[in-house]
Amino acid sequence: MEGGRAESIRWMLAAYGIEFEENFIEEKEQYDQMVKNGDLMFQQLPMVEMDGMKLVSSRAILNYIAGKCNIYGKDLKEKAFIDMYVDGNSDLMALLLAMPFLKEDEKEAKRSY
Ligand SMILES: N[C@@H](CCC(=O)N[C@@H](CS)C(=O)NCC(=O)O)C(=O)O
């Protein structure tokens, strides 16, 4: 999978010098086998195998790597600010993706936001 939900995971691993191997799902059978093996908690990808775990849910994966690399805040308050920033950024990305489908006056309101 290129782009999409795995992209930020790739960036974070690369930024912290954690080597990784990518396995692309090209055939439905590969996905079916992973589901059958119980590798995907919610039958969704991406999945990252790390430290003996099969991690799913891109936010949980990013949080785990951030914690492992000691960049997920020094305390709960810093974590809260990081989470706010990440959540706000996700909303902004969703907004930008929706922009072409909005009416002109809606676009203006969203731009100022
Ligand atoms: N909450 C999950 C959502 C993952 C997700 O929607 N993955 C899609 C591919 S991008 C998927 O596996 N869809 C198959 C399905 O839901 O059956 C995450 O953040 O990683």
Side-chain angles (χ1 to χ4, degrees), residues 24-92:
F24 295 96
I25 307 299
E26 281 157 4
E27 306 290 337
K28 184 176 181 303
E29 289 69 32
Q30 293 172 274
Y31 169 79
D32 290 343
Q33 191 59 51
M34 292 174 86
V35 171
K36 202 170 156 197
N37 294 346
D39 292 342
L40 308 175
M41 186 182 281
F42 301 114
Q43 291 79 52
Q44 292 180 323
L45 295 160
M47 183 273 279
V48 171
E49 285 192 67
M50 193 175 210
D51 300 339
M53 296 181 287
K54 292 183 175 170
L55 298 166
V56 294
S57 183
S58 36
R59 186 67 57 83
I61 296 168
L62 288 169
N63 287 349
Y64 180 75
I65 299 168
K68 191 178 162 73
C69 297
N70 286 322
I71 53 163
Y72 194 19
K74 65 176 179 330
D75 54 31
L76 267 179
K77 288 184 179 177
E78 264 193 24
K79 277 189 172 60
F81 274 91
I82 291 167
D83 289 342
M84 286 195 290
Y85 178 77
V86 170
D87 241 43
N89 245 349
S90 303
D91 289 349
L92 183 61

